[in-house]
């Protein structure tokens, strides 16, 4: 099936990239030093005041090390898998024998819990062994398998240890005997996509083509008639794992199984399921050269990004089903914008970027990473947002049930804890998102201080050192280290938010032609010698952004941004009743590095108006006479909100001349 | 217990007021000629394409006239009761032997369904006779009793026929043996308040003090410790009528039973339950002179009206539990503002107005009547809103589950059909809301063309003829007809929206002193002779209203009003994307009678801005450059919206200089 290869470029692996960056090192150190240890405690139910995970305990029971009942959600195994995946990335960046020993112990436990036929799932093993593969719709069996496969690949890549990889190959081999087009096999797929992209990774690591074929089977089968998920529901007696009794007919659009994937052009249903699927579709399109699959990816991408994405890179605007609602429906207050969905969007963007070196993908990747995802984690590494709102009124979150899902403060480990370990695995593999390479070009997608080693054709290596204060400052210095001079291009992403740029090579300003900038990348092509340096200067001005008028929620409003960062106002800086604040369209916004705000943050300062509240005497309505006073405002990056106590927060503000 | 009488005035009964009014006769005729007959069809399950009611069928089964299972909700009986109540009012205004025969037949059926001990409830009679009074929390037993008592009183007052009244006295007598402070009786109350106000009516009609005492028992017992509703839930095994299995501990605040009623000062919980209770509290305060009860009424009134009421007179801002959320939380898009809640608010206002002749109560009564309630009924009399939104985006109502409850078009009869028959009984008794009288004064609360007969001290009668084009025009002419000249005051309400007024008596302009206007009423005190006439001119200018800055949803926005009417923009007049429209703070708004709009409607015309959508090329975000073009706008009364096809609608608009 692997007929051709659409890859324009391939990532430089996280193993070859060492992040040394004032901005991101805070996060990556936090993940390594706090999040990963904390999550291990959580997986072991040792975090007081947080909902228990039961994850390790389930594995102990399934392995026969302990007696007891299954605890937590049916997909609880995936939390341990995502933790192990993060550990793998982390170990490759920073060896830690103690952590590795813990991980090896967890892997031993997983292997003990695996059934002789290769099957692994603590829920079904403990609770319903006879019900394997009878409720793909609800029960996440293949989803959990996918996460464990991803963990196995990451851990093997990082440590060279094969135990989990071999176990997961056995599991995948077994799955391959259960699912497929052949008579006697299930022509089905999981209710929650994930295994598809995992199997592609397993293929890439092992070279076993059958894993890629199985991934393609799942993708191609999805949404075909007769609908597998509905037939399975009928066969089960119309029951659900989640509800007692006979249930109403489910809507396969929730699982993106309402039509064949190549016919889908609007992002619908559960947003995490959607982007995990699109990621696998892009993977398979790249592997097989399937243009129809790639075209579906492009359409789905455009729909999400042009019509269903918050300015923070959040997707999925309703908490009902954690789902997309419809084009231009982006309410700021009843928002969902789940952390995991933005992580999946980053995965999808990363895959598309490898097929087409188009900065449009990297712009979205950067937007989701620097805003929605970075903002989901507290600066203590122990509290997380699941829902990432663009407007918070804490009293409404508490007292209006339609906004209960919007938390004004980050929560400890969740019972359904998909997000924290997902953040952890993304941030610990962040190095992999900076560069891709092909035979002639090294693409720089993200500006993150780091040292990377890229392979050039003919076994040559080139080292790239990136130095920058990004996102506080748009100056980036890239230094090349290599043995012999070599001719190749370094392509620098010019973000769509940058109003121009300046670039120097070895101190000499370049005057790039229009041809040198293609799809958002400046190609600097020359014979590079050891010590050559590029200096890129991206103008980083605060700017006001407006939304398409079809986005009703943002009509007449603007959001402040600077570089990749979206900014917000918080009550702690600007008082309560943020809705009373309006911004002048021509307001001068000054970017100021405040060393005392969150350990050094560039804030925006400017003047606006605040509606007068003092002259109201308790009435609810009165003749219009809105009086507003000038007021000094201070914005902080959205990613930093909620780190200084609970309070109101808002991204979009109305404009007032 | 009836120690004193706080009544400042008493209503002139609907029997003594005949409405002849261009504006309201449309509605009252609609109720008489269309709604009442249509609802009878609905109660008999003869409306195609509408959810069946089962109401009559349940009574036939309970009466033994038919075999079958109970259908519909546990409170289905109340639909028939509210219909009968409306029929009573309607017959007193316009005799209709055919309708009266139908109603008599229904009453015969009700009497047949009554148990020998006086008990009446088709759900428990058919389905669970042994479970009487075991789930007051969920099952509306006393609520249904209350509605049937109200029906009995109305039907007796209108026709003089005692059959239903006697039956309901037997029922109330039986209830009095079940509930009370005495040992062996249940110290309880209904989960849904209603019987309390009904028992006060029954007392007033029959003179039987025990009914008022029973009402007072229910009110006084509510919220006392130990909590009856919680104890009952425990006793039942923590089950619920609405959910299978053992349920979570319910919150008695939903039923306003979280604390004794005299300690309540914030409107909480299910909004209809709340206002029905407040109405009974005001009734009892007036009867007994209980100042602590009256003070609680005043506080609850102020909280609702000053902090939790939409400009349309809607209350209850969340569909979760059809409930109040919290102070200043008045979202326009996810709103609830149930029709029945505004009707209950009108009841409460009407009672308070009788205790204190303060136009603040009548202003709210008028606001709720002319906007939320009038707007709930389609001009065909066959479609109704349950939820009365202030902002509608039809696609969001369809595709965002958090807004499914907001319907862009009125629905036929509902399965849970509380609202349509409630509108019907209110509008058919509208005459009762126009005047109240005491020994010296006739208060005019509403300006509705009508002929009324008031009793003066000493058995004298005075006739009042009111002529007006209100609400299109603020000119009102009141002509007095009486035998002998008499000295008394006519108090004219000066609405809070009126910026001044002019008044003439027999063509002579009065120059009222400050003392003549007290709490919003102009007292014209003189010796009135036959044919004397007052002409009141209220300036009816279009005006822009702003909301308290604590109402986040309306920040920076204004709503257009004229007289008692709130106006809105509809897509049919102004195109889609109403959110793209802004209004000039100094815009001239012209009031124009458009004969072709909904059979003659005063619309408002003015200039605003519309954000340019043409220069957007598909992107979702871009640097702020909001361009807006001047645009001509046309507002229609909120009460008229949704009568010309489905489309966007909005009440509040942002302002732009």
């Amino acid at each position: 099936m692997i007929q051709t290869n659409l890859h324009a470029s391939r990532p430089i692996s996280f193993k070859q990239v060492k992040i040394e960056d004032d901005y991101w090192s805070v996060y990556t150190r936090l993940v390594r030093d706090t999040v990963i240890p904390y999550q291990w405690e959580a997986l072991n139910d040792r975090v007081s005041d947080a909902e228990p995970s039961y994850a390790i305990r389930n594995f102990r029971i399934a392995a026969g090390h302990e007696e007891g009942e299954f605890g937590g959600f049916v997909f609880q195994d995936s939390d341990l898998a995502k933790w192990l995946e993060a550990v793998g990335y982390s170990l490759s960046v920073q060896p830690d024998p103690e952590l590795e020993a813990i991980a090896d112990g967890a892997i031993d436990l997983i292997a003990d819990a695996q059934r002789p036929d290769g099957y692994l799932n603590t829920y079904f093993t403990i609770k319903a062994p006879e019900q394997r593969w009878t409720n793909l719709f609800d029960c996440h069996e293949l989803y959990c398998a996918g996460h464990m496969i991803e963990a196995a690949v990451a851990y093997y890549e990082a440590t060279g240890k094969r135990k989990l990889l071999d176990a997961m190959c056995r599991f995948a081999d077994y799955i391959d005997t259960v699912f497929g087009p052949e008579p006697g096999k299930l022509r089905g797929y999981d209710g929650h996509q994930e295994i598809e992209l995992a199997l592609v990774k397993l293929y890439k690591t092992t070279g076993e083509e059958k894993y890629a074929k199985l991934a393609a089977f799942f993708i191609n089968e999805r949404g075909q008639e007769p609908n597998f998920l509905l037939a399975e529901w009928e066969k089960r007696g119309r029951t659900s794992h989640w509800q007692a009794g006979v249930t109403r007919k489910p809507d396969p659009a929730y699982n993106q199984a309402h039509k064949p994937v190549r016919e889908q052009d609007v992002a619908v249903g559960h947003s995490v399921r959607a982007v995990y699927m699109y990621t696998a579709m892009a993977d398979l399109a790249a592997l097989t050269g399937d243009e129809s699959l790639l075209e579906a990816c492009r359409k789905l991408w455009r729909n999400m990004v042009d019509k269903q994405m918050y300015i923070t890179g959040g997707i999925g605007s309703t908490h009902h089903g954690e789902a997309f609602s419809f084009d231009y429906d982006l309410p700021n207050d009843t928002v969902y914008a789940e952390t995991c969905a933005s992580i999946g969007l980053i995965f999808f963007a990363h895959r598309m970027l490898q097929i087409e070196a188009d900065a449009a993908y990297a712009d979205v990747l950067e937007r989701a990473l620097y805003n929605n995802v970075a903002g989901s984690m507290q600066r203590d590494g122990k509290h997380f947002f699941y829902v990432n709102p663009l407007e918070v009124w804490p009293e409404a979150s508490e007292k209006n049930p339609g906004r209960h899902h919007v938390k004004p403060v980050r929560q400890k480990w969740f019972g359904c804890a998909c997000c924290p370990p997902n953040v952890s695995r993304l941030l610990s593999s962040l190095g992999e998102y900076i560069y891709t390479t092909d035979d002639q070009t090294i693409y720089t997608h993200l500006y993150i201080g780091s040292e990377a080693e890229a392979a050039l054709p003919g076994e040559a290596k080139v080292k790239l050192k990136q130095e920058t204060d990004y996102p506080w400052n748009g100056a980036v210095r890239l230094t090349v280290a290599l043995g012999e001079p070599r001719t190749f291009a370094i392509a620098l992403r010019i973000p769509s938010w940058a109003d121009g740029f300046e670039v120097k090579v070895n101190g000499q300003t370049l005057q790039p032609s229009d041809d040198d900038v293609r799809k958002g990348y400046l190609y600097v092509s020359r014979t590079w010698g050891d010590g050559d340096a590029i200096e890129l200067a991206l103008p980083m001005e605060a700017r006001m952004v407006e939304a398409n008028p079809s986005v009703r929620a943002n009509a007449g409003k603007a959001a402040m941004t600077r570089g990749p960062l979206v900014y917000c106002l918080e009550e702690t800086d600007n008082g309560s009743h943020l809705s009373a604040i309006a911004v002048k369209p021509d307001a001068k916004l000054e970017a100021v590095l405040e060393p005392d705000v969150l350990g050094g943050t560039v804030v925006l300062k400017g003047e606006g108006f605040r509606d007068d509240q003092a002259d109201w005497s308790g009435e609810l309505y009165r003749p219009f006479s809105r009086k507003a006073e000038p007021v000094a405002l201070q914005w902080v990056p959205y990613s930093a909100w909620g780190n200084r106590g609970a309070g109101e927060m808002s991204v979009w503000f109305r404009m007032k001349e």
Side-chain angles (χ1 to χ4, degrees), chain A:
Chain A
M1 70 173 257
I2 315 276
Q3 298 161 343
T4 179
N5 194 319
L6 275 185
H7 275 289
S9 63
R10 289 202 171 75
I12 300 183
S13 159
F14 60 89
K15 287 184 295 179
Q16 311 300 335
V17 182
K18 186 166 178 169
I19 291 176
E20 286 293 348
D21 181 275
D22 276 355
Y23 186 80
W24 282 109
S25 292
V26 172
Y27 290 90
T28 53
R29 266 200 304 272
L30 205 53
V31 169
R32 193 182 64 217
D33 299 341
T34 304
V35 182
I36 288 176
Y38 176 76
Q39 291 184 343
W40 178 247
E41 294 305 296
L43 290 167
N44 282 280
D45 308 333
R46 294 191 294 248
V47 175
S48 59
D49 303 336
E51 301 176 45
S53 156
Y54 304 108
I56 291 294
R57 195 169 150 267
N58 290 337
F59 276 94
R60 291 185 52 77
I61 296 165
H65 300 181
E66 192 174 324
E67 294 282 307
E69 289 300 308
F70 179 88
F73 286 100
V74 69
F75 46 78
Q76 214 69 8
D77 289 1
S78 62
D79 285 355
L80 177 58
K82 279 187 270 186
W83 179 81
L84 267 176
E85 187 185 345
V87 169
Y89 301 134
S90 180
L91 291 176
S92 80
V93 174
Q94 170 113 352
D96 180 339
E98 201 180 323
L99 177 61
E100 192 165 332
I102 292 172
D104 286 342
I107 288 168
D108 290 343
L109 178 61
I110 291 165
D112 287 354
Q114 190 173 26
R115 300 292 89 194
D117 58 3
Y119 182 80
L120 177 70
N121 185 295
T122 70
Y123 174 82
F124 284 96
T125 298
I126 297 171
K127 208 159 174 177
E130 75 294 346
Q131 284 174 32
R132 269 191 207 181
W133 316 124
T134 60
N135 190 348
L136 277 296
F137 193 96
D138 292 324
C139 290
H140 297 67
E141 254 167 315
L142 294 173
Y143 168 87
C144 289
H147 274 302
M148 203 57 89
I149 290 168
E150 285 201 272
V153 168
Y155 201 73
Y156 165 74
E157 297 280 353
T159 63
K161 293 181 179 171
R162 296 194 61 98
K163 183 167 186 173
L164 189 58
L165 185 69
D166 289 343
M168 289 307 102
C169 286
R170 278 201 307 280
F171 192 9
D173 294 344
Y174 163 67
I175 292 169
D176 194 41
T177 68
V178 175
F179 291 87
E182 298 85 2
K185 290 187 178 181
L186 273 175
R187 289 190 75 112
Y189 41 85
D190 207 58
H192 195 315
Q193 301 90 318
E194 153 64 24
I195 194 162
E196 301 84 352
L197 71 87
L199 286 169
V200 172
K201 285 190 175 182
L202 192 60
Y203 154 69
K204 287 183 179 173
T205 291
T206 62
E208 273 287 354
E209 213 174 281
K210 70 173 169 185
Y211 300 137
K213 277 188 183 158
L214 185 56
F217 166 76
F218 286 134
I219 288 291
N220 294 333
E221 198 59 29
R222 200 166 197 92
Q224 302 291 350
E225 291 295 335
N227 190 286
F228 168 75
L229 297 176
L230 291 179
E232 186 204 56
W233 169 75
E234 290 284 3
K235 198 172 167 190
R236 254 196 327 272
R238 304 187 169 198
T239 60
S240 158
H241 174 80
W242 303 103
Q243 279 175 280
V246 171
T247 53
R248 260 197 258 178
K249 189 175 175 179
D251 181 0
Y254 172 74
N255 314 70
Q256 297 80 36
H258 54 306
K259 50 170 106 164
V261 300
R262 286 172 184 76
E263 295 169 25
Q264 297 188 24
D265 51 11
V266 174
V268 297
H270 186 265
S271 57
V272 177
R273 284 169 165 82
V275 281
Y276 282 13
M277 178 174 90
Y278 306 158
T279 300
M281 285 164 65
D283 274 338
L284 289 167
L287 278 185
T288 62
D290 184 330
E291 277 290 346
S292 64
L293 203 52
L294 180 58
E295 193 49 35
C297 288
R298 288 197 187 103
K299 283 182 181 166
L300 289 162
W301 172 269
R302 288 256 67 87
N303 174 261
M304 267 197 302
V305 164
D306 289 347
K307 295 181 178 168
Q308 300 203 72
M309 183 183 69
Y310 287 95
I311 193 172
T312 53
I315 51 171
S317 55
T318 174
H319 71 109
H320 296 273
E322 309 179 316
F324 292 101
S325 56
F326 66 99
D327 292 353
Y328 302 116
D329 184 41
L330 295 166
N332 296 308
D333 52 356
T334 59
V335 52
Y336 204 69
E338 184 183 338
T339 306
C340 289
S342 286
I343 290 172
L345 179 63
I346 289 171
F347 295 158
F348 183 30
H350 195 217
R351 300 313 197 276
M352 293 302 285
L353 199 50
Q354 294 168 48
I355 298 174
E356 311 180 87
D358 184 337
Y361 299 116
D363 284 344
V364 169
L365 193 164
E366 184 181 73
R367 182 189 288 278
L369 176 66
Y370 278 83
N371 298 290
N372 192 293
V373 175
S376 71
M377 186 167 75
Q378 188 93 351
R379 292 303 172 90
D380 66 0
K382 295 179 177 175
H383 296 80
F384 299 86
F385 282 128
Y386 203 94
V387 170
N388 296 278
L390 282 83
E391 183 181 317
V392 170
W393 181 12
E395 199 174 2
S397 294
E398 185 192 340
K399 297 178 181 171
N400 185 322
R403 291 168 74 167
H404 280 345
H405 65 285
V406 175
K407 304 297 179 199
V409 292
R410 294 174 185 82
Q411 310 286 296
K412 283 194 180 180
W413 194 264
F414 293 94
C416 170
C418 55
C419 298
N422 228 349
V423 172
S424 173
R425 70 180 181 134
L426 176 72
L427 293 182
S428 56
S429 62
L430 187 58
E432 187 147 324
Y433 294 82
I434 301 175
Y435 299 103
T436 60
T437 61
D438 63 17
D439 284 351
Q440 296 106 41
T441 309
I442 299 173
Y443 295 92
T444 311
H445 304 296
L446 295 178
Y447 296 112
I448 296 178
S450 55
E451 289 189 32
E453 187 175 273
L456 292 176
E459 314 232 326
K461 305 271 188 197
V462 55
K463 288 191 176 169
L464 288 170
K465 180 172 189 175
Q466 198 182 144
E467 294 162 287
T468 181
D469 284 331
Y470 199 94
W472 306 137
N473 181 312
V476 179
R477 185 183 170 86
L478 261 182
T479 313
V480 173
L482 77 180
E484 300 290 310
R486 298 287 295 241
T487 302
F488 60 91
I490 294 179
L492 301 166
R493 175 174 147 258
I494 308 300
S496 60
W497 51 257
D499 199 9
F501 62 90
E502 267 192 21
V503 64
K504 294 180 188 173
V505 173
N506 298 333
Q508 296 289 103
T509 300
L510 297 191
Q511 303 294 347
S513 73
D514 284 356
D515 279 359
D516 292 334
V517 182
R518 297 189 295 278
K519 291 191 173 177
Y521 288 88
L522 168 67
Y523 290 77
V524 186
S525 192
R526 66 194 301 273
T527 301
W528 297 95
D530 192 51
D532 283 353
I534 310 181
E535 288 161 280
L536 174 69
L538 298 168
M540 218 170 243
E541 299 301 322
R543 67 177 194 172
M544 299 184 189
V545 172
E546 64 184 352
N548 190 299
S550 289
V551 181
R552 271 59 169 185
N554 297 335
K557 294 187 170 180
M560 304 305 135
T561 65
R562 183 173 178 271
L565 298 181
V566 173
Y567 278 73
C568 65
L569 294 185
E570 285 198 280
E571 181 175 340
T572 186
D573 299 313
N574 303 285
S576 72
H577 289 73
L578 294 181
S579 58
I581 290 172
V583 176
K584 293 183 194 173
D586 57 354
K588 287 248 162 20
L589 295 174
E590 198 189 353
V592 181
L593 177 65
E594 286 284 1
D596 296 338
V597 174
L598 299 165
T601 296
V602 173
V603 305
L604 301 182
K605 292 172 186 275
E607 210 180 56
F609 296 101
R610 182 181 261 286
D611 294 332
D612 192 6
Q613 286 166 250
D615 69 338
W616 281 80
S617 54
E619 71 274 39
L620 197 44
Y621 304 105
R622 70 176 189 191
F624 187 85
S625 65
R626 186 76 73 190
K627 289 178 212 148
E629 298 295 324
V631 65
L633 301 172
Q634 175 172 307
W635 282 261
V636 296
Y638 175 79
S639 59
W641 86 273
N643 277 284
R644 295 171 297 158
E648 293 181 30
M649 181 279 291
S650 196
V651 168
W652 291 94
F653 286 88
R654 61 194 158 89
M655 306 302 274
K656 185 179 165 73
E657 325 264 329

